[in-house]
Amino acid sequence: MFELSPLVVWLFTLGAGAAMFYYGAIVTGILKDPLLARLRRYGDENRPYPICRFFEAAGAWSLSLALMVNSLTQPGSYSRDAFPPMIFFLTAITIFGASIAFRRHAILRESLPRWYAELLNQSSRQERRFIAFAWLKIPRRMRWHLNSNHAAFQVWADTVRISVIYGAFDPDSPWDVWG
């Protein structure tokens, strides 16, 4: 029978767990930088779907736990050897199935993180790009605050949108005389 090295299994489990933690932070809205960086790109908008990536990372983590638990259990009865890895394996299959289901339905894959879904529904492509570039200009401590406070982020994003709309298209602007 083919057996993996315990070090390889541990490294794969650690890597899949780190990816799951990273995408979990994006899905919950705690980490906004990666999605805002994607909005800054030129050309056609290629929307990321972090919930699908989170499910894939969770499935890989569960699969690696199935491999790891098999090596941790003591040899003995069949139920003790086969049951815990089988639960993690079935969990991995279920999570991968959820990832496929989320990829097929636009409403599901664009629903999380909530701030991102609201931004997509309320703003145009140009406004989202301005918000993403304005994100780079704010201080780090304010970014930390806006990462954790979704209502404050929405107010900040609306402020940027208003300044873009009225700053660029204000017919009474005194600066247009000099342009």
Side-chain angles (χ1 to χ4, degrees):
M1 179 163 188
F2 179 70
E3 209 171 307
L4 290 173
S5 168
L7 180 63
V8 172
V9 174
W10 279 97
L11 289 176
F12 186 71
T13 305
L14 184 65
M20 187 179 69
F21 181 72
Y22 174 74
Y23 286 114
I26 292 173
V27 166
T28 57
I30 295 172
L31 190 59
K32 292 179 175 62
D33 289 330
L35 293 179
L36 289 171
R38 296 283 301 258
L39 294 175
R40 286 192 299 268
R41 294 183 181 170
Y42 290 102
D44 293 335
E45 188 173 28
N46 187 10
R47 293 185 182 170
Y49 304 116
I51 186 70
C52 299
R53 298 290 178 130
F54 172 73
F55 281 142
E56 291 163 1
W61 184 69
S62 182
L63 191 62
S64 66
L65 280 179
L67 293 171
M68 190 169 54
V69 166
N70 192 23
S71 65
L72 292 178
T73 56
Q74 296 177 352
S77 68
Y78 177 73
S79 64
R80 202 174 342 152
D81 288 343
F83 190 65
M86 190 56 70
I87 287 180
F88 285 118
F89 182 72
L90 291 175
T91 304
I93 289 174
T94 305
I95 292 172
F96 285 133
S99 175
I100 292 170
F102 268 68
R103 282 195 185 277
R104 289 188 180 181
H105 301 288
I107 293 173
L108 293 175
R109 70 177 175 243
E110 293 177 357
S111 64
L112 291 174
R114 193 77 218 137
W115 69 269
Y116 183 67
E118 290 172 1
L119 191 65
L120 289 177
N121 292 332
Q122 296 173 355
S123 61
S124 67
R125 168 79 172 125
Q126 181 183 10
E127 291 170 347
R128 288 191 295 269
R129 287 196 65 236
F130 279 122
I131 290 169
F133 279 113
W135 183 259
L136 294 175
K137 299 294 182 183
I138 61 176
R140 185 179 317 245
R141 289 186 62 141
M142 186 174 176
R143 277 193 226 169
W144 290 344
H145 173 68
L146 294 178
N147 273 329
S148 62
N149 191 343
H150 304 303
F153 177 80
Q154 288 295 349
V155 169
W156 175 82
D158 287 341
T159 304
V160 171
R161 287 178 57 216
I162 288 171
S163 66
V164 167
I165 292 169
Y166 291 114
F169 303 111
D170 186 12
D172 299 325
S173 174
W175 300 106
D176 290 338
V177 175
W178 302 101

